[in-house]
């Protein structure tokens, strides 16, 4: 009888089922973990860009984390970047590079980056970027008198760069410099006619004096002796004529192991063929980490964050929540994404 009672009591005891662990809360775009991933991504993008200028983070648009196992996550980031004043070949750390102001005709970069986080260590698997200058209409609304970016194949731009290089090489006793690429150009017509250009240069194996005899024989220094730099030139054409040139050489630099410092171009004529019509503000970058275990960067497109649908859903949810009565003084939590704007919206 006692055994029967014990059995009945045992059957009546509540059964405690194992409760699965709650999934981790989604990361917000301004969370420290997200910002750390964005910092690694931006460093990778700048380190694998061949042309133009370094880009700085303006905003984390979205982030998605896909767990792969214990202490192993795949992270998808969508980033908004802004062009800085530091050329890509400059040794200046990004933290010391000034972001170009809106009035300087800002350039924005849009990047999708795929990272892996293993035991707390972040590495980039793939990245894809493109960029565009702000619209002329937006600039002129805010600053009607601001000069705008000029086309690289503009005759006045090419003439100014050629005159600036000739002027610098005629006065230097150091290596003869060749043009690598034109970075930016602007033409102002009022109150004076002024052409402003920025361009990257490389030292050759000739002195400026030797180049006078046979400039065609002057070649860029080999990689183990490379010396690149950057020049700005201001050509005043009216009311008086004047040319000011300033060049800074950076010294020898070691490129990333999987990319050259500059693309191979024939610069025997002084002006690289790509200078005509080459839009250097374009952060055209699709790169796959050669040491990563993941496959090609096309994967990042298949896994691209559905930002538009996410934003639409967030707006709809926010509108629905606004209909719910809340206590006086209630402050709704900030949205997880997109994150804060660090410089300005474009």
């Amino acid at each position: 009888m006692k055994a029967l009672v014990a059995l009945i009591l045992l059957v009546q005891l509540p059964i405690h089922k194992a409760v699965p662990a709650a999934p981790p809360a989604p990361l917000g775009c301004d969370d420290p973990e997200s910002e750390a991933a964005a910092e690694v991504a931006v460093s990778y993008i700048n380190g694998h860009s061949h042309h133009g200028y370094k880009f700085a983070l303006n905003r984390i648009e979205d982030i998605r984390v896909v767990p792969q196992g214990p202490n192993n996550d795949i992270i998808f980031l969508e980033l908004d970047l802004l062009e800085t004043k530091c050329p890509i070949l400059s040794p200046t750390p990004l933290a010391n590079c000034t972001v170009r102001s809106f009035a300087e005709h800002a350039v924005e970069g849009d990047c999708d980056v795929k990272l892996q986080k293993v035991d707390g260590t972040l590495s980039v698997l793939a990245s894809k970027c493109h960029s565009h200058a702000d619209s002329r209409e937006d600039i002129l609304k805010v600053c009607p008198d601001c000069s705008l970016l000029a086309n690289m194949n503009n005759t006045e731009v090419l003439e100014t760069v050629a005159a600036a290089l000739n002027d610098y090489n005629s006065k230097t006793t150091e290596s003869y410099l060749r043009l690598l690429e034109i970075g930016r150009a602007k033409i102002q017509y009022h109150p004076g006619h002024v052409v402003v250009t920025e361009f990257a240069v490389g030292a050759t194996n000739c002195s400026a004096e030797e180049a006078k005899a046979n400039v065609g024989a002057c070649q860029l220094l080999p990689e183990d002796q490379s010396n690149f730099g950057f020049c700005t030139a201001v050509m005043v054409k009216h009311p008086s004529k004047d040319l000011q040139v300033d060049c800074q050489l950076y010294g020898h630099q070691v490129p990333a192991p999987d990319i050259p410092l500059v693309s191979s171009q024939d610069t025997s004529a002084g002006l690289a063929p790509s200078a005509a019509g080459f839009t250097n503000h374009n952060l055209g970058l699709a790169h796959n980490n050669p040491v990563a275990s993941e496959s090609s960067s096309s994967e990042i497109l298949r896994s691209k964050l559905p930002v538009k649908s996410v934003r639409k859903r967030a707006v709809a949810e926010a509108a629905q929540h606004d209909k719910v009565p809340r206590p006086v003084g209630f402050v709704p939590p900030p949205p997880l994404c997109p994150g804060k704007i660090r410089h300005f919206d474009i």
Side-chain angles (χ1 to χ4, degrees):
M1 185 65 181
K2 289 182 179 180
L4 181 59
V5 172
L7 180 60
I8 294 172
L9 291 175
L10 181 61
V11 172
Q12 291 178 341
L13 287 175
I15 298 175
H16 297 282
K17 295 182 179 179
V19 179
L27 279 180
C29 281
D30 291 333
D31 288 350
E33 295 90 341
S34 303
E35 294 185 341
E39 183 177 352
V40 171
V42 173
S43 177
Y44 181 89
I45 290 165
N46 285 325
H48 291 78
S49 178
H50 296 202
H51 304 284
Y53 301 84
K54 297 180 182 182
F55 278 74
L57 179 65
N58 189 39
R59 186 186 224 184
I60 302 174
E61 286 288 344
D62 217 334
I63 180 169
R64 181 161 59 91
V65 180
V66 181
Q68 300 294 297
N71 300 317
N72 184 357
D73 294 323
I74 296 295
I75 301 173
F76 295 94
L77 279 176
E78 182 164 335
L79 306 176
D80 281 350
L81 312 181
L82 286 175
E83 184 185 80
T84 72
K85 295 184 179 182
C86 289
I88 202 68
L89 294 176
S90 171
T92 303
L94 180 61
N96 297 336
C97 295
T98 303
V99 171
R100 290 191 187 273
S101 69
F102 180 83
E104 291 177 278
H105 205 162
V107 174
E108 178 186 33
D110 299 315
C111 294
D112 295 313
V113 188
K114 181 180 181 180
L115 306 94
Q116 187 170 29
K117 187 176 184 179
V118 179
D119 295 328
T121 301
L122 287 160
S123 59
V124 174
L125 302 179
S127 61
K128 187 172 183 63
C129 299
H130 70 276
S131 65
H132 63 277
D134 195 12
S135 71
R136 301 168 66 90
E137 293 75 13
D138 288 348
I139 298 292
L140 295 177
K141 284 178 184 177
V142 178
C143 183
D145 298 325
C146 287
S147 53
L148 303 173
L149 288 171
N151 292 328
M152 299 300 181
N153 60 355
N154 182 285
T155 302
E156 290 186 276
V157 171
L158 297 176
E159 288 176 348
T160 299
V161 172
L165 267 176
N166 289 336
D167 182 78
Y168 181 88
N169 283 322
S170 68
K171 296 175 181 177
T172 185
T173 57
E174 304 297 329
S175 297
Y176 180 81
L177 300 184
R178 286 200 180 281
L179 176 72
L180 297 179
E181 63 184 17
I182 300 174
R184 268 181 160 246
K186 299 175 82 172
I187 303 176
Q188 175 182 309
Y189 295 99
H190 303 287
H193 189 172
V194 182
V195 182
V196 181
T197 61
E198 300 177 8
F199 51 96
V201 293
T204 68
N205 57 356
C206 297
S207 68
E209 189 64 30
E210 290 171 337
K212 293 178 182 178
N214 185 9
V215 68
C218 299
Q219 302 297 323
L220 289 173
L221 291 173
E223 190 171 284
D224 60 346
Q225 305 171 35
S226 61
N227 188 5
F228 300 106
F230 200 72
C231 300
T232 58
V234 179
M235 171 81 80
V236 180
K237 307 184 81 170
H238 182 77
S240 59
K241 293 188 177 182
D242 183 43
L243 175 63
Q244 298 178 9
V245 185
D246 179 44
C247 293
Q248 177 188 5
L249 293 177
Y250 301 134
H252 175 58
Q253 297 177 72
V254 180
D258 58 324
I259 61 166
L261 267 173
V262 292
S263 57
S264 56
Q265 296 174 353
D266 175 18
T267 56
S268 59
L271 290 178
S274 64
F278 185 75
T279 307
N280 206 28
H281 334 296
N282 184 13
L283 183 65
L285 176 68
H287 199 271
N288 183 51
N289 191 335
V291 299
S293 59
E294 295 289 323
S295 57
S296 72
S297 58
S298 63
E299 213 176 306
I300 203 168
L301 297 180
R302 295 197 296 270
S303 305
K304 185 176 172 63
L305 300 174
V307 175
K308 291 184 180 179
S309 60
V310 169
R311 288 180 186 163
K312 286 180 180 178
R313 186 170 67 248
V315 170
E317 290 175 354
Q320 187 66 31
H321 290 164
D322 285 342
K323 299 176 182 178
V324 179
R326 294 192 176 100
V328 176
F330 174 80
V331 178
L336 294 178
C337 287
K340 63 187 176 185
I341 295 175
R342 288 159 173 77
H343 300 283
F344 51 84
D345 197 9
I346 181 173

